[in-house]
Amino acid sequence: MIEQFLKFCVVGGSGVFVDFGITYACKEWLRLNKYAANSLGFLCASTTNYILNRLWTFHNENPDIAGQYLRFLGIAVVGLAINNATIYLLHHRFRMNFYLAKLFATGVVTFWNFFMNYFFTFL
C-alpha cells in the first residue's frame, strides 16, 4: 500500500500541473469565478489522474472502465467539495493567498482520494 500511495502522489503531482494550469487560465484569463475555475481544473486533473492511476499506480484491468471511472469521479466530486471548503476556510476566513490555500487543500484531499480509491475503485 505504501508503494501505491507514493505512486498515487506522483500521479497527483502531475495532476497539480493540470489543475493549477486550468484553474489559472480560467480564473485569470477567462475571468471565471474562482470556485468555478477551481472546479474545472480539479475535474480535468481528476480525469488524467484516473487514467494514470488505473494504468500505473494500481495496474488495474477491470473491464468495466465506465463504471470504474464513475466511481473515481464520484470520489473526486466529494474530494472537490472538501477542496473548495478548505480553500474557502483558508482564503476567506484566514486571508491566505488563494493559490497557497489551493495547494494546502490539494494535500488534504490527497488522503481522501487515495484511501477511497484504494478501497472502492481499484479493488
Side-chain angles (χ1 to χ4, degrees), residues 8 11-12 14-16 18-19 22 38-54 69 72-80 109 113 117 122:
F8 190 85
V11 169
S14 72
V16 166
V18 172
D19 183 358
I22 290 173
N38 180 59
S39 298
L40 286 172
F42 188 94
L43 292 172
C44 289
S46 293
T47 299
T48 61
N49 285 356
Y50 166 73
I51 294 165
L52 293 172
N53 279 313
R54 176 181 164 83
Y69 176 69
F72 188 91
L73 199 56
I75 290 166
V77 167
V78 174
L80 175 60
V109 173
N113 283 341
N117 282 301
F122 300 110

Coordinates of all heavy atoms in Angstrom, one line a residue, residues 8 11-12 14-16 18-19 22 38-54 69 72-80 109 113 117 122:
F8 N 0.6 7.1 -6.3 CA -0.6 8.0 -6.3 C -0.2 9.4 -6.2 O -0.7 10.3 -6.8 CB -1.5 7.5 -5.2 CG -2.9 8.1 -5.3 CD1 -3.9 7.6 -6.0 CD2 -3.2 9.3 -4.5 CE1 -5.1 8.1 -6.1 CE2 -4.4 9.8 -4.5 CZ -5.4 9.3 -5.3
V11 N 1.5 10.7 -9.4 CA 0.4 10.9 -10.4 C -0.3 12.2 -10.0 O -0.6 13.1 -10.8 CB -0.6 9.8 -10.5 CG1 -1.9 10.1 -11.2 CG2 0.1 8.5 -11.1
G12 N -0.6 12.4 -8.7 CA -1.3 13.6 -8.2 C -0.4 14.8 -8.5 O -0.9 15.9 -8.7
S14 N 1.5 15.3 -11.0 CA 1.3 15.7 -12.4 C -0.1 16.3 -12.6 O -0.3 17.3 -13.3 CB 1.4 14.5 -13.4 OG 0.3 13.6 -13.2
G15 N -1.1 15.8 -11.8 CA -2.4 16.4 -11.8 C -2.4 17.8 -11.3 O -3.3 18.6 -11.7
V16 N -1.5 18.1 -10.4 CA -1.4 19.5 -9.8 C -1.1 20.5 -11.0 O -1.7 21.6 -11.0 CB -0.4 19.6 -8.7 CG1 0.0 21.1 -8.4 CG2 -0.9 18.9 -7.4
V18 N -1.9 20.1 -14.2 CA -3.1 20.2 -14.9 C -4.1 21.1 -14.2 O -4.7 22.1 -14.8 CB -3.7 18.8 -15.2 CG1 -5.1 19.0 -15.9 CG2 -2.8 18.0 -16.1
D19 N -4.3 20.8 -12.9 CA -5.3 21.5 -12.1 C -5.0 23.0 -12.0 O -5.8 23.9 -12.3 CB -5.3 20.9 -10.7 CG -6.4 21.5 -9.8 OD1 -7.1 22.4 -10.1 OD2 -6.4 21.0 -8.6
I22 N -5.2 24.9 -15.5 CA -6.5 25.2 -16.0 C -7.2 26.2 -15.0 O -7.9 27.1 -15.5 CB -7.3 23.9 -16.1 CG1 -6.8 23.1 -17.3 CG2 -8.8 24.1 -16.3 CD1 -7.4 21.7 -17.5
N38 N -11.6 26.7 -10.1 CA -11.0 25.7 -9.3 C -11.7 24.3 -9.6 O -11.0 23.3 -9.8 CB -11.2 26.0 -7.8 CG -10.6 24.9 -7.0 OD1 -9.4 24.6 -7.1 ND2 -11.4 24.3 -6.1
S39 N -13.0 24.3 -9.8 CA -13.7 23.1 -10.1 C -13.4 22.5 -11.4 O -13.2 21.3 -11.6 CB -15.2 23.3 -10.0 OG -15.6 23.7 -8.7
L40 N -13.2 23.4 -12.4 CA -12.8 22.9 -13.8 C -11.4 22.3 -13.8 O -11.2 21.2 -14.3 CB -12.9 24.0 -14.8 CG -14.3 24.5 -15.2 CD1 -14.2 25.7 -16.1 CD2 -15.0 23.3 -16.0
G41 N -10.5 23.0 -13.1 CA -9.1 22.5 -13.0 C -9.1 21.2 -12.3 O -8.4 20.2 -12.7
F42 N -9.8 21.1 -11.2 CA -9.8 19.9 -10.4 C -10.4 18.7 -11.1 O -9.8 17.6 -11.1 CB -10.7 20.1 -9.1 CG -10.6 19.1 -8.1 CD1 -9.7 19.1 -7.0 CD2 -11.5 18.0 -8.1 CE1 -9.7 18.1 -6.1 CE2 -11.5 17.0 -7.2 CZ -10.5 17.1 -6.1
L43 N -11.5 18.9 -11.8 CA -12.1 17.8 -12.6 C -11.3 17.3 -13.8 O -11.3 16.1 -14.1 CB -13.6 18.2 -13.0 CG -14.5 18.3 -11.8 CD1 -15.9 18.9 -12.2 CD2 -14.7 17.0 -11.1
C44 N -10.7 18.3 -14.5 CA -9.8 17.9 -15.6 C -8.6 17.1 -15.1 O -8.2 16.0 -15.6 CB -9.3 19.1 -16.3 SG -10.6 19.9 -17.3
A45 N -8.0 17.5 -14.0 CA -6.9 16.7 -13.3 C -7.4 15.4 -12.9 O -6.7 14.4 -13.0 CB -6.3 17.5 -12.2
S46 N -8.6 15.3 -12.4 CA -9.2 14.0 -11.9 C -9.2 13.0 -13.1 O -9.0 11.8 -12.9 CB -10.6 14.2 -11.3 OG -10.5 14.9 -10.1
T47 N -9.6 13.5 -14.3 CA -9.7 12.6 -15.4 C -8.3 12.1 -15.8 O -8.1 10.9 -16.0 CB -10.3 13.3 -16.6 OG1 -11.6 13.7 -16.2 CG2 -10.4 12.4 -17.8
T48 N -7.3 12.9 -15.9 CA -5.9 12.5 -16.2 C -5.4 11.6 -15.1 O -4.7 10.6 -15.4 CB -5.0 13.6 -16.5 OG1 -4.9 14.4 -15.3 CG2 -5.4 14.5 -17.7
N49 N -5.7 11.9 -13.9 CA -5.3 11.1 -12.7 C -5.9 9.7 -12.8 O -5.3 8.7 -12.4 CB -5.6 11.7 -11.4 CG -4.7 12.9 -11.1 OD1 -3.7 13.2 -11.8 ND2 -4.9 13.6 -10.0
Y50 N -7.2 9.6 -13.2 CA -7.8 8.3 -13.3 C -7.1 7.4 -14.2 O -6.7 6.3 -13.9 CB -9.3 8.4 -13.7 CG -9.9 7.1 -14.2 CD1 -10.2 6.1 -13.2 CD2 -10.0 6.7 -15.5 CE1 -10.6 4.9 -13.6 CE2 -10.5 5.5 -15.9 CZ -10.8 4.5 -14.9 OH -11.2 3.3 -15.3
I51 N -6.8 7.9 -15.4 CA -6.1 7.1 -16.4 C -4.7 6.7 -15.9 O -4.4 5.5 -16.0 CB -5.9 7.9 -17.7 CG1 -7.3 8.2 -18.3 CG2 -5.0 7.2 -18.7 CD1 -7.4 9.3 -19.4
L52 N -3.9 7.6 -15.4 CA -2.6 7.2 -14.9 C -2.6 6.3 -13.7 O -1.8 5.3 -13.6 CB -1.8 8.5 -14.6 CG -1.5 9.4 -15.7 CD1 -0.9 10.7 -15.3 CD2 -0.5 8.7 -16.7
N53 N -3.6 6.5 -12.8 CA -3.7 5.6 -11.6 C -4.2 4.2 -12.0 O -3.7 3.2 -11.5 CB -4.6 6.2 -10.6 CG -3.9 7.2 -9.7 OD1 -2.8 7.0 -9.2 ND2 -4.5 8.4 -9.5
R54 N -5.1 4.1 -13.0 CA -5.5 2.8 -13.4 C -4.4 2.0 -14.1 O -4.2 0.9 -13.8 CB -6.7 3.0 -14.4 CG -7.2 1.7 -15.1 CD -8.3 2.0 -16.1 NE -8.5 0.8 -16.9 CZ -9.2 -0.2 -16.6 NH1 -9.8 -0.3 -15.4 NH2 -9.4 -1.2 -17.4
Y69 N -14.6 4.5 -13.8 CA -14.4 5.9 -13.9 C -15.4 6.7 -13.2 O -15.1 7.7 -12.5 CB -14.3 6.3 -15.4 CG -14.2 7.8 -15.6 CD1 -13.0 8.5 -15.2 CD2 -15.3 8.6 -16.1 CE1 -12.9 9.9 -15.4 CE2 -15.1 10.0 -16.2 CZ -14.0 10.6 -15.9 OH -13.8 11.9 -16.0
F72 N -14.5 6.6 -9.5 CA -13.4 7.5 -9.3 C -13.9 9.0 -9.3 O -13.5 9.8 -8.5 CB -12.4 7.3 -10.4 CG -11.1 8.0 -10.2 CD1 -10.0 7.4 -9.5 CD2 -10.8 9.3 -10.7 CE1 -8.8 8.0 -9.3 CE2 -9.6 9.9 -10.5 CZ -8.6 9.3 -9.8
L73 N -14.7 9.3 -10.3 CA -15.2 10.7 -10.4 C -16.1 11.0 -9.2 O -16.1 12.2 -8.7 CB -15.9 10.8 -11.7 CG -16.1 12.3 -12.2 CD1 -14.8 13.0 -12.4 CD2 -16.8 12.2 -13.6
G74 N -16.9 10.1 -8.8 CA -17.8 10.3 -7.6 C -16.9 10.7 -6.4 O -17.2 11.6 -5.6
I75 N -15.9 9.9 -6.2 CA -15.0 10.2 -5.1 C -14.3 11.5 -5.3 O -14.1 12.3 -4.3 CB -13.9 9.0 -5.0 CG1 -14.6 7.7 -4.5 CG2 -12.8 9.4 -4.1 CD1 -13.8 6.5 -4.6
A76 N -13.9 11.8 -6.5 CA -13.3 13.1 -6.8 C -14.2 14.3 -6.5 O -13.8 15.3 -6.1 CB -12.8 13.2 -8.2
V77 N -15.5 14.1 -6.8 CA -16.5 15.2 -6.6 C -16.6 15.5 -5.1 O -16.7 16.6 -4.6 CB -17.9 14.8 -7.2 CG1 -19.0 15.8 -6.7 CG2 -17.8 14.9 -8.7
V78 N -16.6 14.4 -4.3 CA -16.6 14.6 -2.8 C -15.3 15.3 -2.4 O -15.3 16.2 -1.6 CB -16.8 13.3 -2.0 CG1 -16.7 13.5 -0.5 CG2 -18.2 12.7 -2.3
G79 N -14.2 14.8 -3.0 CA -12.9 15.5 -2.8 C -13.0 17.0 -3.2 O -12.4 17.8 -2.5
L80 N -13.6 17.3 -4.3 CA -13.8 18.7 -4.7 C -14.5 19.5 -3.7 O -14.1 20.6 -3.4 CB -14.5 18.7 -6.1 CG -14.8 20.1 -6.6 CD1 -13.5 20.9 -6.8 CD2 -15.6 20.0 -7.9
V109 N -6.9 16.7 0.4 CA -7.8 15.9 -0.4 C -7.0 14.6 -0.9 O -7.6 13.6 -1.2 CB -8.4 16.7 -1.6 CG1 -9.2 15.8 -2.6 CG2 -9.4 17.7 -1.0
N113 N -8.8 11.0 -1.4 CA -8.8 10.3 -2.7 C -8.1 9.0 -2.7 O -8.6 8.0 -3.3 CB -8.2 11.2 -3.8 CG -9.2 12.4 -4.2 OD1 -10.4 12.3 -4.0 ND2 -8.6 13.4 -4.8
N117 N -10.2 5.5 -3.2 CA -10.0 4.8 -4.5 C -9.3 3.4 -4.2 O -9.6 2.5 -4.9 CB -9.2 5.6 -5.4 CG -10.0 6.7 -6.1 OD1 -11.0 6.4 -6.7 ND2 -9.7 7.9 -5.9
F122 N -10.3 0.7 -7.2 CA -9.3 -0.2 -7.8 C -9.1 -1.4 -6.9 O -8.0 -1.7 -6.5 CB -8.0 0.6 -8.0 CG -8.1 1.7 -8.9 CD1 -7.9 3.0 -8.4 CD2 -8.3 1.6 -10.2 CE1 -8.0 4.1 -9.2 CE2 -8.4 2.7 -11.1 CZ -8.2 3.9 -10.6

